[in-house]
Amino acid sequence: MTTALALRPDAITAKCRALKDWRAAQDRRPNPKANPLGGWSVTRLESGDLYLSARILGPDPAGALLDFEKRQSTTVASFGDMQGGDRMPSLDCTVPGRTACVWRLDGVWVEVWHPDTPTPRPAPPVGVSRPVPKPGPPAATSPSGRLPRRPLTVHRNRKEN
């Protein structure tokens, strides 16, 4: 990211709006802070438009992206000027190995994306032991599930006369 582009008011406004919309969409998820946005970059396209890009981090980026895309469609429809060149959010899979949600608002293109490969889950902490349950009493048995259970009787050597 170049300093001149980072200080552009339209880039800063677009990033702040995207972050606000991202947080609002994540508030409905079970763990709202599990999938933050990171790795922001700003570039200028050949058309002169700014293009902001951020990667979705965390354990469920695909689910977070789908929830965001649904909410962002409502946001852009409410605030966007479709006659002025704004574009509704859409899922984009044209870059191999990643899925993105891309939209244009107020002349700035924004994308949030995640890699298509699953993100590895963190390993359990080392040294934490879980309690091992004690074995319970032996189960009463019967020759068949249809027969009633009888108490076990022990026969000692009986002499028959």
Side-chain angles (χ1 to χ4, degrees), residues 90-148:
S90 62
L91 293 178
D92 179 16
C93 299
T94 57
V95 177
R98 72 181 205 165
T99 301
C101 178
V102 181
W103 69 96
R104 184 175 188 257
L105 190 60
D106 295 333
V108 178
W109 287 96
V110 182
E111 78 169 352
V112 293
W113 62 275
H114 67 84
D116 287 337
T117 56
T119 305
R121 296 194 180 261
V126 177
V128 176
S129 63
R130 294 190 175 127
V132 177
K134 294 180 181 178
T141 60
S142 69
S144 166
R146 294 179 284 156
L147 297 175

Side-chain angles (χ1 to χ4, degrees), residues 21-22 24-30 35 37 55-57 59-75 89-93 98-103 111-116:
D21 293 342
W22 179 260
Q26 300 308 305
D27 282 345
R28 298 174 189 213
R29 294 181 53 81
N35 294 96
L37 295 177
R55 180 177 176 177
I56 304 167
L57 307 171
D60 183 23
L65 182 67
L66 290 176
D67 289 345
F68 176 71
E69 189 266 338
K70 290 175 191 171
R71 179 174 168 82
Q72 193 65 1
S73 294
T74 305
T75 302
S90 62
L91 293 178
D92 179 16
C93 299
R98 72 181 205 165
T99 301
C101 178
V102 181
W103 69 96
E111 78 169 352
V112 293
W113 62 275
H114 67 84
D116 287 337

